[in-house]
């Protein structure tokens, strides 16, 4: 086996590991956001409604991203990149909204972990 083949195999392994880690972080973020949104009172103060809407949107984007990474193997690299960048942006926005609400710290951490995993995967994509 040549060093080029070994290098290519290592790149493929890294790609698959980062893709899996991103999909897993998206799933965890989607769960955390859905839970946080379900705890917010839809008829509560405006800040709570904003948090609820952001949580729902983040859960939907993260879920779609996880599906794109784990099920939709027919997507081209550009489509995957756009989806993952969108997820990263929405996750960071949601984390900032959660920061302003006591009790939402764990959800904010899940959002930031998702954004980091998305960033790592985007680096791997090149």
């Amino acid at each position: 086996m040549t060093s080029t083949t070994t290098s290519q195999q290592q790149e493929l392994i890294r790609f698959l590991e980062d893709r899996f880690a991103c999909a897993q972080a998206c799933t965890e973020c989607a769960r955390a956001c859905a839970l946080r949104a379900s705890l917010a009172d839809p008829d509560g103060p405006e800040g709570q409604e904003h948090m609820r809407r952001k949580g729902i949107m983040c859960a939907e984007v993260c879920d779609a991203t996880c599906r794109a990474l784990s099920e939709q193997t027919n997507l081209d690299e550009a489509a995957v990149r756009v989806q993952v960048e969108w997820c990263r942006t929405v996750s960071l926005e949601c984390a900032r909204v959660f920061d302003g609400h006591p009790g939402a710290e764990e959800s904010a951490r899940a959002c930031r972990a998702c954004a980091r995993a998305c960033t790592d995967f985007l680096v791997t994509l090149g």
Side-chain angles (χ1 to χ4, degrees), residues 18-117:
D18 286 353
R19 186 176 178 128
F20 177 78
C22 185
Q24 186 174 19
C26 288
T27 297
E28 291 168 10
C29 184
R31 281 188 200 133
C33 289
L35 177 61
R36 180 55 41 201
S38 74
L39 296 174
D41 182 2
D43 298 321
E46 186 177 326
Q48 255 198 7
E49 176 58 21
H50 179 67
M51 178 185 67
R52 184 177 162 278
R53 283 193 319 269
K54 281 290 187 182
I56 291 169
M57 183 173 72
C58 191
E60 290 174 352
V61 170
C62 286
D63 183 58
T65 303
C66 178
R67 280 186 278 115
L69 293 174
S70 61
E71 298 171 7
Q72 299 174 357
T73 56
N74 61 337
L75 293 178
D76 65 7
E77 184 179 320
V80 169
R81 178 177 298 284
V82 167
Q83 182 69 41
V84 173
E85 286 174 350
W86 183 35
C87 185
R88 176 179 60 184
T89 300
V90 170
S91 294
L92 287 174
E93 288 175 4
C94 195
R96 285 192 285 275
V97 170
F98 288 162
D99 285 341
H101 295 273
E105 297 85 5
E106 188 175 323
S107 299
R109 279 192 294 279
C111 289
R112 285 192 174 83
C114 179
R116 276 191 304 278

Side-chain angles (χ1 to χ4, degrees), residues 8-25 69-70 73 117 120-125:
Q8 289 171 338
Q9 287 175 335
Q10 289 172 343
E11 287 176 25
L12 177 60
I13 290 169
R14 165 106 190 225
F15 172 82
L16 293 173
E17 288 174 346
D18 286 353
R19 186 176 178 128
F20 177 78
C22 185
Q24 186 174 19
L69 293 174
S70 61
T73 56
D120 291 347
F121 183 58
L122 289 167
V123 169
T124 302
L125 274 175

